[in-house]
Amino acid sequence: MADYLKPLPIPAPESEPFWAGARDHKLLMQKCASCGKFWFPPGTICPHCGAAEFAWTETSGRGRVFTFVTYQRLYNKAWEGELPYVVAIVELEEGPRMLTAITGIDAADVVCD
């Protein structure tokens, strides 16, 4: 990650497996051993049923744009030269919604499903 120039998060203990997966280009989320549902952001118990047993499980990485914003103004120099850029909440096939940057597509072409 030496060539990555954007700000990096400082993981909390409960989110470290998520960030370790991201470093390996995998989208890992917690999946409840009791009810089988995924959740995000990471936590210590299932928000659906309250169970404390879970496994970090790789997701498909596929989803739909739930909502988004297109940034036309530079708020952090790390994104200099990348305007406009899109930040979205994506609803994953597995259920959870997460905040992410949309890349690989022109900002004007991003739409909500």
Side-chain angles (χ1 to χ4, degrees):
M1 301 281 293
D3 59 343
Y4 190 79
L5 302 176
K6 292 188 172 47
L8 292 171
I10 299 170
E14 63 271 13
S15 69
E16 179 52 44
F18 170 82
W19 295 108
R23 283 189 295 273
D24 292 335
H25 303 278
K26 295 178 182 177
L27 181 56
L28 302 180
M29 291 194 174
Q30 293 164 297
K31 184 177 181 181
C32 181
S34 182
C35 71
K37 293 184 179 178
F38 285 86
W39 75 84
F40 189 84
T44 57
I45 63 168
C46 175
H48 305 287
C49 74
E53 293 78 34
F54 59 87
W56 284 94
T57 306
E58 188 171 0
T59 65
S60 68
R62 292 185 301 270
R64 65 179 190 88
V65 174
F66 180 77
T67 190
F68 69 96
V69 62
T70 302
Y71 284 90
Q72 305 284 347
R73 183 175 168 193
L74 187 64
Y75 291 96
N76 185 302
K77 288 186 179 188
W79 281 267
E80 196 166 24
E82 296 185 29
L83 293 174
Y85 64 91
V86 177
V87 175
I89 295 177
V90 171
E91 185 173 305
L92 299 171
E93 285 181 349
E94 292 81 4
R97 292 179 183 162
M98 67 182 305
L99 189 65
T100 187
I102 302 295
T103 61
I105 183 174
D106 188 79
D109 293 332
V110 176
V111 295
C112 293
D113 280 343

